[in-house]
Amino acid sequence: MEKDFSFIIDLDGVIIDSVGFWQELANGYNLDDLSFYDGLKKIDELNKTKLSKKIIKTCIDFYSKEANLCIGVNEFLAKFRAYKKCIYTASPFAKLVLKRFDILDEFVFIQDERKYLKTTQIALKTCMNKLNTNKFILIDDSSKIIDLANKNDIFSIGINCENAKINIKNIGELNEKDIKYSWK
């Protein structure tokens, strides 16, 4: 298969099994469309107190001790080792958890929300520019991000996500044949 494409991969729900953790943490705060840092500010404003440090500690504890890899991650990384890959995430804890599982070196860089919201065109374009290949494959579990990829003519793979070009149950099911025959 040609090596002129690279992967833009979500962290939470694709690489790390953390969706339940984030749903529980955000429960009651209506933080779905906010970045992690904006979410912390909103929580502090709503509660008129500084919960940020406690929430950050909870996240660090989860990513450094409890989080697990999603099913099929090691198989995916083994199959696509020769391809450039980046992490495209809202979470500021990617480096911590990728180091913990000794897979940080599998990724050229991490694009998180310290500079741009994941849901913005500029964040996606930043990934594309840094990866510097002719074609891109975005893998995510969010329909909003899949829509963003589709609008930018980026081939999309959805982990249990309806609007992707290819839908798979876990990242380990992905293979070069599916990509080759599905590429538009």
Side-chain angles (χ1 to χ4, degrees):
M1 185 168 191
E2 58 190 68
K3 302 274 194 259
D4 69 340
F5 71 88
S6 54
F7 291 96
I8 301 170
I9 308 169
D10 179 37
L11 180 74
D12 295 296
V14 176
I15 299 291
I16 302 299
D17 185 6
S18 54
V19 174
F21 169 77
W22 283 108
Q23 286 172 344
E24 187 177 314
L25 190 66
N27 191 17
Y29 293 112
N30 194 22
L31 303 177
D32 292 341
D33 292 329
L34 297 175
S35 72
F36 178 74
Y37 297 110
D38 287 342
L40 290 180
K41 285 181 205 169
K42 181 177 178 182
I43 290 168
D44 285 346
E45 288 168 9
L46 289 173
N47 290 289
K48 309 262 189 273
T49 182
K50 276 283 192 193
L51 290 176
S52 300
K53 288 182 182 179
K54 181 179 178 185
I55 292 169
I56 290 170
K57 183 185 179 327
T58 300
C59 292
I60 290 171
D61 287 348
F62 173 77
Y63 281 101
S64 63
K65 299 173 187 166
E66 298 174 39
N68 292 306
L69 291 175
C70 287
I71 296 169
V73 169
N74 288 323
E75 294 84 352
F76 167 80
L77 292 174
K79 282 185 222 175
F80 296 98
R81 186 150 280 128
Y83 295 86
K84 288 183 184 177
K85 298 174 284 302
C86 77
I87 292 291
Y88 185 55
T89 183
S91 172
F93 306 103
K95 188 173 183 179
L96 172 70
V97 73
L98 296 174
K99 277 179 134 179
R100 177 175 160 229
F101 289 107
D102 197 27
I103 58 173
L104 180 61
D105 292 341
E106 293 283 342
F107 304 96
V108 179
F109 64 93
I110 297 168
Q111 177 69 41
D112 62 25
E113 290 194 339
R114 286 174 230 205
K115 194 166 184 180
Y116 307 113
L117 287 177
K118 181 181 176 187
T119 55
T120 62
Q121 182 95 358
I122 193 164
L124 188 57
K125 294 289 185 182
T126 299
C127 289
M128 295 166 68
N129 290 335
K130 285 183 178 181
L131 287 168
N132 193 28
T133 52
N134 295 321
K135 297 178 184 174
F136 305 92
I137 298 171
L138 180 129
I139 306 173
D140 209 297
D141 63 341
S142 163
S143 1
K144 194 176 207 176
I145 302 302
I146 294 291
D147 283 341
L148 181 64
N150 293 341
K151 287 175 188 168
N152 284 277
D153 293 323
I154 295 174
F155 187 76
S156 58
I157 296 171
I159 306 298
N160 298 322
C161 186
E162 295 177 10
N163 55 338
K165 303 294 183 207
I166 296 179
N167 292 291
I168 56 178
K169 292 178 187 170
N170 71 65
I171 197 168
E173 295 176 357
L174 184 61
N175 61 57
E176 291 177 315
K177 182 179 174 188
D178 286 338
I179 295 168
K180 184 176 180 183
Y181 291 112
S182 301
W183 206 288
K184 66 176 188 174

